Amino acid sequence: MKRINVLLRDIPFTMQNDAPWAGVDAGVKGLLDADIPVEKAYGDFDSVTEADLKLFKKNLSLNIVPSAKNFTDSELALLSLAELGYTAIDVYGALDGRKDHELMNIQLLAHEELRDIDIRLLNETNEIILLTEGEYILQADYDKKYVSFIPLYDDTLLTLEGFKYDLEDTYVSIGKTLTVSNEFKEKNVVINTDKDILMIKSTD
């Protein structure tokens, strides 16, 4: 598994592994300020100062794109890293800031060129991943009290085993709250879904 971490914004973050790092826009500044080597750098860099950009150009190979474009900096970075063969990507800064960007960052998990990559969106209290169609046997994460399943399609057939609230062949749909705020009960849990669904692990 070829893993990399990505920082989208200049925000505090807690590393969960020792994989290399890519920075996106102001995330490059966040990494450099934390003395973390930047393997890749992406964005239009419209959220950094001229002095910052001059420093970036001096020390890094930048992939600078115009501010007016048909994609976000996040999409650019994730697609580029996928093309480079990364199969596991931890993304920090995707769940903070502007809500339009946050919603699109979550929807990027279902992008046709990204949906089969192990991408985690992380902040201090949440972890979001996409589960595509199939059965999953996962270890419980007791560091996160709650686990929710958010369907991306109506009439998603879902089975949950090993949770506080198990389900058997139950249809869940967009806008219904049945599968919010579940909890792990067994050490290993089973999830079976017939369509893409988001799994969100959260603390209080």
Side-chain angles (χ1 to χ4, degrees), residues 66-82:
S67 296
K69 54 190 183 297
N70 295 325
F71 48 83
T72 64
D73 291 339
S74 302
E75 182 179 5
L76 165 70
L78 292 177
L79 289 176
S80 176
L81 293 171

Side-chain angles (χ1 to χ4, degrees), residues 26-82:
V28 176
K29 176 176 170 55
L31 294 174
L32 293 178
D33 287 347
D35 294 322
I36 296 174
V38 179
E39 192 110 339
K40 304 287 180 184
Y42 301 95
D44 52 28
F45 298 96
D46 61 354
S47 59
V48 300
T49 66
E50 287 294 330
D52 287 332
L53 188 55
K54 185 176 180 180
L55 178 65
F56 298 168
K57 289 179 177 178
K58 181 179 178 182
N59 293 284
L60 303 168
S61 175
L62 302 181
N63 184 356
I64 302 177
V65 294
S67 296
K69 54 190 183 297
N70 295 325
F71 48 83
T72 64
D73 291 339
S74 302
E75 182 179 5
L76 165 70
L78 292 177
L79 289 176
S80 176
L81 293 171

Side-chain angles (χ1 to χ4, degrees), residues 101-168:
H101 281 260
E102 181 176 5
L103 287 171
M104 285 311 306
N105 288 334
I106 294 170
Q107 288 194 19
L108 275 175
L109 295 175
H111 191 293
E112 61 183 359
E113 296 179 44
L114 300 172
R115 61 193 304 277
D116 293 321
I117 296 175
D118 177 16
I119 300 176
R120 299 193 301 168
L121 307 183
L122 302 162
N123 65 9
E124 296 300 322
T125 57
N126 299 283
E127 175 186 322
I128 303 179
I129 66 170
L130 178 74
L131 301 180
T132 57
E133 176 186 356
E135 182 177 87
Y136 298 83
I137 300 174
L138 304 176
Q139 284 190 335
D141 183 357
Y142 295 114
D143 290 334
K144 301 285 195 303
K145 181 175 181 180
Y146 301 108
V147 56
S148 298
F149 298 90
I150 310 299
L152 298 179
Y153 301 95
D154 285 331
D155 298 323
T156 297
L157 188 62
L158 182 65
T159 293
L160 302 175
E161 299 176 16
F163 293 87
K164 183 176 181 180
Y165 307 107
D166 283 346
L167 292 178
E168 183 176 356

Side-chain angles (χ1 to χ4, degrees), residues 5-17:
N5 300 311
V6 178
L7 184 63
L8 300 183
R9 301 168 62 240
D10 183 10
I11 58 169
F13 59 94
T14 302
M15 291 182 287
Q16 296 195 18
N17 57 62

